[in-house]
Structures are given as structure tokens and as C-alpha cells.
Amino acid sequence: MRIAITGAAGWLGRYVTAALETSHELVLIDNVAPEEATIFDPSAPGGRRRLPLSPSWPYHHLDILDDEGLSRALTDVEVVVHLAGRPTGEWENAKATVMTNIVGTFNVFDQARMAGARRVVNASSINAFGTFYWRVSGRSPMHRSLPLTEDEPVTPEDPYSMSKATTEVLGATFNRAFGFEAVNLRFAGVWSESTYDAALDAGLPATKEWADDLFQWVHVLDVTQGITKAALVDTVVPVPITLAAADTRAPEPTLEVLAKLRPELIQYLCEPLPKRAGLLSIARARTFLGYEPRYSLDAAVRDLS
């Protein structure tokens, strides 16, 4: 199969390339030259580190807003894995975020459709819920159902969260209008391999305060697994699908954390939460993609007594 990857020079794009290239023909797309490529690195200044890319596949240096360039790059492509985007929620960057994440994603769907592709795997985010990061009002989100599922109405307060929720509407629209296959994947907070290994070495600290992000996380290789499955599975659905870990970042049992810090939420539990079960549902990913996280933080739990 011929698969195109946008944002291919980035951190996650490289993982997806490595996962797919052994069995598929790839087309790589990014708006930076390979020799100038950078990757996400929270320990680096500005959160990015320069890491030149030496592509083994056709590489198209172009912006996803470039109609003609994108059309040429998607020639004979069957599936597009769309990872390109602006991951910032600050209002001073709102227009650029909207242009890249909404107009750019529309262009990816439209050019893929016109080029004869059959599917776009769209990198959304749990930010689409609107309750995790960049809460402009400063108010804590209100949850009336836990674990949190994709059926929760979206309530964004920032440009990035709004843009990700809108890309999911785009995918569903193309599906309804043209029968075009769209998979909208909401990534949880993605941990690098080094972040995960450091947590195993140091152990998880005892939980002292509530986290509005529901203590969610996911290993980069589990996200890569989910993306790969979404690209290759026989049938797909255009509804949002969350890719997260099956546990939390808290070392204590999840019900114990709730009882201690947010007892009023216990009445809203919709299913049992054994041991350190996650507060972010991955039931859809399991049902529609056959996704099952391989990484947990069980080995980072120490004797808290």
C-alpha cells in the first residue's frame, strides 16, 4: 500500500514511518527541509531539538496549504496519515493555528479525496474535549460521566482545542458527503521513551492534589500502534477515538484517588475502575481498532506506606 505521512520529519512522524516502512511504500511530507528538521523535546530550549532527517522515501518539502504541491505529493496514495499541525493554544497565535490546523486539515482531506485516496487518519488530540489544557477561564472542567468518553460534549476555550475539535467535524463531513474514510484519533499526553524510562527508574510520587487532566498519559509506541492500526484496519468509523494508556500517572488505586481528592465525582462513575484504571476511556479504540496499550506504569509504583 502507498501511504503518505504529513508532519513526517517530526518526532511522531518518524515513529510512524519506522512502523510502516517495512511493509508499505511511503510518501513523506513536511514544511521543513530534511536537513533543518526538528523534533519535540521538552528538555530542549523552546521544547524542540534539531535532528536532521535522512529520508529513505520520496520527501516533499511543502506546506499543507499548498494545493498544487499537495496534489502532486498524493498521487497514487491510498491512505494519508495526517500528523502536521501547530500544537499551541495561545491566543496570540490563534490565526496561524486556525490556518494550519483547520484550513490545512481541510486541504489534506480535500486533496486526498481528489487524488483518489480512500482514507485520512487525522491526528486530533484529547484537547478536542476542551477540558485539558489552555483553559483560558481558569475554571476547572465539570465532568458528569467517568471514565471520560468521546461522547462528552466538547467545550474548548482556546484556539488549539477548538481547531482539533473542528478537524473531527471535517472528517465526519467528508465521510457523509463523499463516503470518504476518516479516522479521528485523539492522542492523550504522549510520553517519549526516555520520559517513560525515567518514571520507571524514579517511581511515581504520591498523589497530593487533583489533576484536571485526569492523570492521563500514553507511551509514544502505543500511539504509533494506534495510528498504524487506523491506517491499515479494514473498516473505519469517523467518530473520535481516544488513544491513551489503560492506567493513570497516579500510583494509588484510582478509586482511592477519587475518594480522597474528588469524592463528589464517584457518583458519576459509569463502570468499575479496578486498581489503577484510567479515567479516560479507550473502549472505542479497543472496539474499532483492536488497540491495546502495551505500556503501563505498574512497574513505577513503589511501596507508598
Side-chain angles (χ1 to χ4, degrees):
M1 184 187 300
R2 188 174 174 87
I3 301 173
I5 303 171
T6 72
W11 177 56
L12 189 52
R14 300 182 193 215
Y15 274 93
V16 175
T17 297
L20 291 172
E21 66 181 352
T22 57
S23 303
H24 302 278
E25 181 183 354
L26 303 185
V27 176
L28 309 182
I29 301 169
D30 208 299
N31 68 345
V32 298
E35 62 274 13
E36 298 295 330
T38 63
I39 63 168
F40 169 74
D41 183 350
S43 65
R48 298 196 69 83
R49 173 168 55 90
R50 183 176 176 183
L51 187 62
L53 179 70
S54 299
S56 301
W57 299 96
Y59 186 96
H60 296 262
H61 177 193
L62 60 87
D63 193 288
I64 55 174
L65 292 167
D66 177 356
D67 292 2
E68 293 183 4
L70 196 55
S71 177
R72 288 193 298 269
L74 297 181
T75 301
D76 297 327
V77 162
E78 293 182 57
V79 173
V80 180
V81 176
H82 176 42
L83 304 177
R86 286 179 59 88
T88 176
E90 289 80 8
W91 273 101
E92 55 265 31
N93 299 314
K95 187 173 182 179
T97 298
V98 166
M99 286 299 296
T100 297
N101 292 359
I102 297 180
V103 182
T105 297
F106 172 86
N107 210 35
V108 169
F109 271 103
D110 208 35
Q111 294 299 329
R113 174 186 67 85
M114 291 190 291
R118 60 182 175 85
R119 178 180 303 176
V120 168
V121 178
N122 173 45
S124 182
S125 166
I126 58 167
N127 282 81
F129 284 106
T131 57
F132 286 91
Y133 308 111
W134 293 304
R135 295 280 294 174
V136 178
S137 68
R139 295 187 297 269
S140 293
M142 298 297 293
H143 298 302
R144 290 293 181 265
S145 178
L146 289 173
L148 187 65
T149 75
E150 299 89 345
D151 290 328
E152 181 91 355
V154 300
T155 56
E157 295 185 357
D158 70 278
Y160 180 72
S161 299
M162 180 271 292
S163 73
K164 286 303 180 181
T166 304
T167 67
E168 297 175 353
V169 175
L170 286 173
T173 300
F174 274 83
N175 176 259
R176 286 191 298 268
F178 305 107
F180 191 81
E181 297 178 353
V183 193
N184 293 306
L185 300 180
R186 292 182 178 178
F187 304 157
V190 185
W191 281 24
S192 67
E193 294 182 79
S194 60
T195 298
Y196 177 75
D197 291 342
L200 296 190
D201 290 341
L204 297 175
T207 305
K208 297 181 179 179
E209 58 184 13
W210 178 254
D212 280 343
D213 71 358
L214 302 180
F215 305 95
Q216 51 73 33
W217 73 286
V218 67
H219 195 286
V220 63
L221 290 174
D222 280 331
V223 169
T224 301
Q225 172 212 161
I227 294 170
T228 302
K229 287 180 179 294
L232 303 179
V233 70
D234 288 340
T235 58
V236 296
V237 290
V239 296
I241 297 174
T242 299
L243 299 181
D247 61 352
T248 75
R249 304 188 311 269
E252 304 88 354
T254 303
L255 283 177
E256 181 180 311
V257 174
L258 283 170
K260 179 181 178 181
L261 300 175
R262 294 294 301 272
E264 73 278 11
L265 294 179
I266 293 178
Q267 63 182 310
Y268 299 119
L269 293 181
C270 298
E271 62 183 67
L273 292 174
K275 300 181 180 178
R276 298 177 46 259
L279 288 164
L280 193 58
S281 175
I282 55 173
R284 276 190 188 175
R286 284 170 163 153
T287 298
F288 294 120
L289 302 180
Y291 169 80
E292 191 61 49
R294 300 187 182 107
Y295 293 85
S296 81
L297 289 170
D298 287 344
V301 176
R302 306 291 190 258
D303 184 358
L304 298 178
S305 62

